[in-house]
Amino acid sequence: MKSRLLQFIDLLRTAGVPITAAETLDAARAVTVVGVEPAVFREAVAATLVKDEADRDTFEEVFDRFFAAPAATPKPGTRFQPAGGGEKGRTLDPESTSNSQSRDRPSDRESHRLERGEREKQDGADRRRRMAYLRALHDVPLKDLTPLQVEECELLLAQLAKRLRAHMHRRQRAARRGRIDLRRTIRRSISSGGVPLFPQLRRNRPGKPDLVALCDMSHSVAVATRFLLALLAPAPHYFRRVRLFGYVDAAVEIWLQDGHLVQEGALDLYARSDFGRVLTSFWEERARLLTRNTLLLILGDARNNRRPHRADMLARIESVVRKVVWLNPDERKRWDTGDSVQSAYAPHCEIVLNAATLRELFIAVKVLYR
Amino acid sequence: MPLHYLCGQQHRARSVEDHVSETDANTTADLVRRGLQQARYLTIPRVETVLVLALELEKPLLIEGPAGAGKTEIGKVLATTLATDLIRLQCYEGLDEAKALYEWNYQKQLLRIQADRAMEQSWDEVESHIFSRDYLLDRPLLRALTASKRVVLLIDEIDKADEEFEAFLLEMLSDFQISIPELGTIRASHRPVVVLTSNRARELSEALKRRCLYLYLDFPGVEVERQIVDLKVPELDERVRHSVATFINRLRKLDLRKSPSIAETLDWARALRALGIRELDAPNVRRTLNVVLKHEEDLRKVESKLGSLLSDSNAS
């Protein structure tokens, strides 16, 4: 039995379910506790090995194939004998999951009830598949998303924005702990006869910087910009002032109103992006926005259509502001290929972050809020 | 009975008769079964198996699932089953060691120092006094470890706590011990039964999952929910009881902001009973739907589909 279990675990791992050695031991112990009565056996092994409901389908699939039903009908109470011939090494295709459930029914009398059970099982499987799908959506490169998937991501974004808010809230709370405020402690101690019974802590107010974001609005990175703006929705609570700008070959101010993008003035979305020009005009016209309390966020693929990149302008801006953070929605290996001039700008940014997938974008914004 | 037949039945709850008629040599299994029955907690066999394992292997049990599927209830049921105390730690953002584990009773320590000053005791003596158990404020985790019998520790909504807190739980969950710098390591005299619940507001760390048994508790199927309503609100008209379960099950398949929980199903059943309703038709549902749905847009959505939702439920 032990070796059968190990083989099974091996097969699960090949199918992509992460299982550690400790969990293998747990499974073995679990089996010795509950025995091998089929339904119980299945649940015991699942509870010790499958730690994410999204992996449950894979488990069921592998389990059914590995411990295939014996041909003969054993009486209830007979000990479960796993049939030989585990299908090791066979690739599991996810399509067959649903097929494996339609098997011959044991008896007509019970078939109705069983069908209902199967239907419920199917619902659960649908939900699980959806969960796994949404989880995987976090890692799909933004440029490969279909319009439908973009819609689905919008839902995820609301959740992520909520998480960001919680994250920030936590940071502000954490700042409330700190060193003893001697003056307030002594004042408070007067009411307890001079004994400092209630120590007062110094309140650390986390600084609230200004946020200025420059977002590329051109088609190549449109999705990334849209998502970034959604993630910046909670920003006004945590920054003193938030100003958003969209650019292609010139910058205009934009803001979100009820989830819609409003822009001040026209922007030629089909123009060729020219970040050098944007930087220059930004410096000339909006310099008063840039103070030593400003966090400048730039989202763009640094593809300048072979026009002058004017990194010197960014250097000048950097010397004024608190920090410059660059998010690049291109995959890292594509930076500095073709007309990308990322490395020209990089020395003048505090950090250049990857934002090719939703997950990366989220992590990047989390860094930004820090 | 062929194997696939047994497995196909996973979602069918055992009725009370099944419980009694089956003889089982496994004592823990018996205990759990009886406990579930006593607590009138009706569920699928999967839950039973996992509870037996949690008790036998002395491993923490991590329960995930949608809100209102009965996760927290399992902790309570376990406590009644073992006839022991339930210690509950409700997690929230910013929960820290001082709130979860222990805190020195600063005020009491201070008083002690003040009192000792008058008696002119040596520093060593005072120090050994003020850092002793008397000056320690027990918080839930420490209380669970130092209890004089095996207790059930319910760590509720662990996903709401910070990631750092999760890391800090690891020592306690794997070794059942806690280190207090001034006192040394405190080891559990009786290993508590630990139940963690999560709504998946965020992914939990792999390290935590690895240390736990895992149970995904979904809403029960129509059949089980019907039995739950039968069990808890038997005074309601039988026909209505059945339509309630079917209707709620339909609701959960809609894309609602908040799916109705089991508790809400029961609330609704009780409301219908209190109003003396004998038939679940559109006007009656419309009158009472706010017991089940708590969002304006959900209410509007369901009301527009009420006709199809109900006509179907009568047909089946």
Side-chain angles (χ1 to χ4, degrees):
Chain A
M1 190 64 224
K2 232 181 270 171
S3 65
R4 291 286 292 167
L5 190 63
L6 287 178
Q7 278 173 16
F8 173 64
I9 288 171
D10 201 36
L11 204 58
L12 265 183
R13 281 196 186 122
T14 356
V17 182
I19 296 169
T20 62
E23 284 164 329
T24 309
L25 286 176
D26 286 342
R29 277 174 62 208
V31 173
T32 54
V33 168
V34 299
V36 286
E37 201 247 308
V40 178
F41 175 75
R42 179 193 290 256
E43 292 309 329
V45 176
T48 45
L49 297 181
V50 182
K51 303 294 168 73
D52 196 323
E53 187 62 5
D55 289 331
R56 180 77 191 204
D57 279 338
T58 319
F59 173 84
E60 296 287 339
E61 162 94 5
V62 178
F63 190 96
D64 283 340
R65 287 197 180 183
F66 190 78
F67 300 107
T73 313
K75 291 181 182 65
T78 329
R79 290 257 143 164
F80 169 58
Q81 292 292 323
E87 295 160 40
K88 194 168 175 168
R90 183 162 157 189
T91 47
L92 298 161
D93 72 301
E95 293 303 310
S96 63
T97 318
S98 45
N99 300 340
S100 68
Q101 283 171 350
S102 51
R103 287 209 212 85
D104 51 335
R105 308 280 187 281
S107 81
D108 291 319
R109 193 168 55 82
E110 289 286 344
S111 74
H112 178 64
R113 170 166 249 164
L114 195 66
E115 253 167 34
R116 181 152 47 202
E118 294 247 320
R119 205 167 347 128
E120 278 165 19
K121 200 165 157 187
Q122 195 62 45
D123 283 345
D126 283 347
R127 201 191 331 255
R128 281 197 297 276
R129 219 164 291 145
R130 173 112 189 117
M131 267 158 55
Y133 171 70
L134 286 180
R135 198 174 52 165
L137 215 51
H138 281 93
D139 293 312
V140 178
L142 295 176
K143 60 180 169 50
D144 297 341
L145 289 173
T146 63
L148 182 69
Q149 285 174 324
V150 170
E151 294 292 320
E152 285 168 328
C153 280
E154 301 278 338
L155 295 174
L156 295 178
L157 280 167
Q159 282 171 23
L160 291 177
K162 208 164 136 193
R163 266 168 64 183
L164 278 176
R165 200 168 298 171
H167 174 75
M168 280 310 287
H169 185 67
R170 213 146 58 210
R171 281 184 46 74
Q172 293 194 338
R173 280 171 62 103
R176 276 177 215 158
R177 283 187 301 190
R179 288 181 303 167
I180 294 270
D181 185 335
L182 205 56
R183 222 172 45 172
R184 285 177 50 235
T185 304
I186 290 176
R187 200 180 305 149
R188 184 78 203 266
S189 76
I190 294 170
S191 64
S192 48
V195 181
L197 214 48
F198 303 100
Q200 303 291 306
L201 298 179
R202 188 170 297 178
R203 288 184 199 139
N204 289 338
R205 290 210 176 77
K208 272 191 167 185
D210 295 343
L211 176 70
V212 174
L214 269 175
C215 306
D216 194 341
M217 305 287 282
S218 60
H219 272 295
S220 50
V221 294
V223 174
T225 300
R226 189 165 156 191
F227 287 179
L228 175 72
L229 289 175
L231 288 180
L232 287 181
H237 295 281
Y238 305 109
F239 293 93
R240 202 175 54 147
R241 206 165 22 193
V242 178
R243 302 289 290 269
L244 307 172
F245 293 89
Y247 70 85
V248 179
D249 61 346
V252 297
E253 178 144 20
I254 54 177
W255 56 88
L256 277 178
Q257 211 163 48
D258 306 326
H260 294 285
L261 201 63
V262 185
Q263 64 187 48
E264 180 200 58
L267 196 61
D268 181 5
L269 292 179
Y270 296 94
R272 312 175 116 222
S273 17
D274 183 353
F275 191 60
R277 203 181 128 205
V278 171
L279 272 179
T280 317
S281 65
F282 198 79
W283 174 248
E284 280 161 5
E285 292 160 25
R286 308 275 187 176
R288 64 193 166 76
L289 285 180
L290 305 172
T291 66
R292 63 183 186 87
N293 202 23
T294 304
L295 200 156
L296 179 65
L297 171 69
I298 301 168
L299 178 106
D301 52 8
R303 295 190 178 277
N304 227 22
N305 296 305
R306 318 229 176 256
R307 290 173 172 158
H309 53 65
R310 298 304 304 269
D312 56 316
M313 293 310 296
L314 189 60
R316 215 178 285 177
I317 289 176
E318 190 212 5
S319 67
V320 187
V321 301
R322 179 143 127 185
K323 66 180 161 183
V324 179
V325 176
W326 191 300
L327 303 185
N328 192 331
D330 253 355
E331 290 155 67
R332 193 172 282 266
K333 61 171 189 271
R334 295 189 55 222
W335 294 5
D336 291 319
T337 62
D339 56 349
S340 165
V341 283
Q342 184 66 74
S343 62
Y345 293 124
H348 308 299
C349 302
E350 169 148 323
I351 187 166
V352 182
L353 292 162
N354 229 9
T357 66
L358 184 54
R359 188 184 305 279
E360 282 171 356
L361 188 64
F362 175 67
I363 293 170
V365 176
K366 213 165 157 182
V367 169
L368 174 83
Y369 277 128
R370 187 161 285 158
Chain B
M1 215 183 280
L3 173 66
H4 49 93
Y5 174 52
L6 275 169
C7 299
Q9 280 185 316
Q10 275 171 49
H11 286 258
R12 188 175 72 90
R14 292 161 191 262
S15 65
V16 177
E17 289 79 14
D18 284 349
H19 282 299
V20 179
S21 66
E22 251 173 62
T23 51
D24 202 323
N26 201 330
T27 50
T28 314
D30 268 349
L31 184 74
V32 168
R33 193 164 301 166
R34 220 173 303 133
L36 287 174
Q37 217 174 312
Q38 242 166 34
R40 310 216 299 165
Y41 188 89
L42 203 63
T43 184
I44 51 176
R46 171 186 294 189
V47 174
E48 218 175 278
T49 310
V50 176
L51 290 186
V52 171
L53 278 182
L55 293 181
E56 280 282 324
L57 302 185
E58 296 190 318
K59 282 185 81 84
L61 171 61
L62 171 64
I63 310 177
E64 285 192 326
K71 297 185 295 294
T72 306
E73 206 59 31
I74 284 191
K76 298 182 188 163
V77 168
L78 267 179
T80 23
T81 305
L82 300 172
T84 182
D85 298 334
L86 176 75
I87 295 179
R88 183 170 173 172
L89 175 65
Q90 177 69 46
C91 296
Y92 52 87
E93 275 162 31
L95 176 70
D96 56 5
E97 284 114 294
K99 291 277 159 26
L101 187 52
Y102 71 91
E103 203 171 6
W104 288 106
N105 190 340
Y106 167 73
Q107 279 80 7
K108 201 171 165 192
Q109 286 175 327
L110 206 63
L111 282 177
R112 172 80 198 202
I113 295 173
Q114 298 272 319
D116 281 348
R117 196 180 287 158
M119 292 162 50
E120 293 192 357
Q121 284 195 343
S122 76
W123 170 245
D124 286 346
E125 222 167 309
V126 177
E127 194 194 14
S128 68
H129 274 141
I130 63 169
F131 287 114
S132 66
R133 285 302 300 273
D134 294 346
Y135 297 87
L136 207 57
L137 290 174
D138 289 4
R139 301 288 185 221
L141 293 185
L142 187 62
R143 237 184 311 140
L145 283 190
T146 54
S148 58
K149 59 179 175 184
R150 181 159 77 153
V151 294
V152 175
L153 172 64
L154 173 65
I155 303 177
D156 215 2
E157 303 192 327
I158 175 77
D159 52 332
K160 298 257 163 57
D162 311 335
E163 276 148 67
E164 303 93 78
F165 181 74
E166 209 178 290
F168 150 84
L169 263 185
L170 292 180
E171 182 193 1
M172 140 123 213
L173 289 183
S174 50
D175 303 330
F176 291 98
Q177 65 176 36
I178 283 171
S179 314
I180 300 177
E182 295 87 350
L183 272 184
T185 305
I186 295 184
R187 221 167 250 112
S189 37
H190 303 269
R191 284 189 161 206
V193 180
V194 185
V195 178
L196 302 107
T197 73
S198 156
N199 282 331
R200 298 184 65 109
R202 65 177 172 82
E203 282 294 312
L204 299 176
S205 75
E206 290 301 318
L208 183 77
K209 285 181 175 177
R210 215 164 44 229
R211 283 168 176 78
C212 300
L213 296 175
Y214 181 85
L215 172 67
Y216 187 83
L217 196 64
D218 211 338
F219 290 119
V222 194
E223 198 70 2
V224 178
E225 188 139 25
R226 194 171 290 173
Q227 289 177 35
I228 294 175
V229 178
D230 285 350
L231 190 71
K232 301 265 176 158
V233 198
E235 305 90 340
L236 188 65
D237 189 75
E238 189 183 341
R239 246 169 357 123
V240 183
R241 280 200 312 252
H242 284 198
S243 346
V244 163
T246 321
F247 186 76
I248 292 280
N249 221 268
R250 294 243 155 79
L251 284 191
R252 293 208 183 112
K253 279 178 196 144
L254 297 180
D255 188 22
L256 296 178
R257 266 183 69 180
K258 160 101 179 47
S259 284
S261 69
I262 297 177
E264 279 163 333
T265 311
L266 292 176
D267 283 347
W268 195 33
R270 288 194 189 104
L272 293 174
R273 192 202 63 202
L275 293 173
I277 285 169
R278 316 203 116 255
E279 172 122 40
L280 202 64
D281 52 8
N284 280 336
V285 171
R286 209 164 282 142
R287 251 166 78 201
T288 51
L289 203 58
N290 53 348
V291 179
V292 184
L293 298 174
K294 313 276 165 82
H295 285 289
E296 182 59 28
E297 45 190 283
D298 286 356
L299 274 170
R300 236 175 291 141
K301 194 176 202 171
V302 171
E303 270 180 25
S304 67
K305 291 184 184 168
L306 209 53
S308 64
L309 280 169
L310 276 173
S311 67
D312 262 351
S313 77
N314 289 338
S316 78

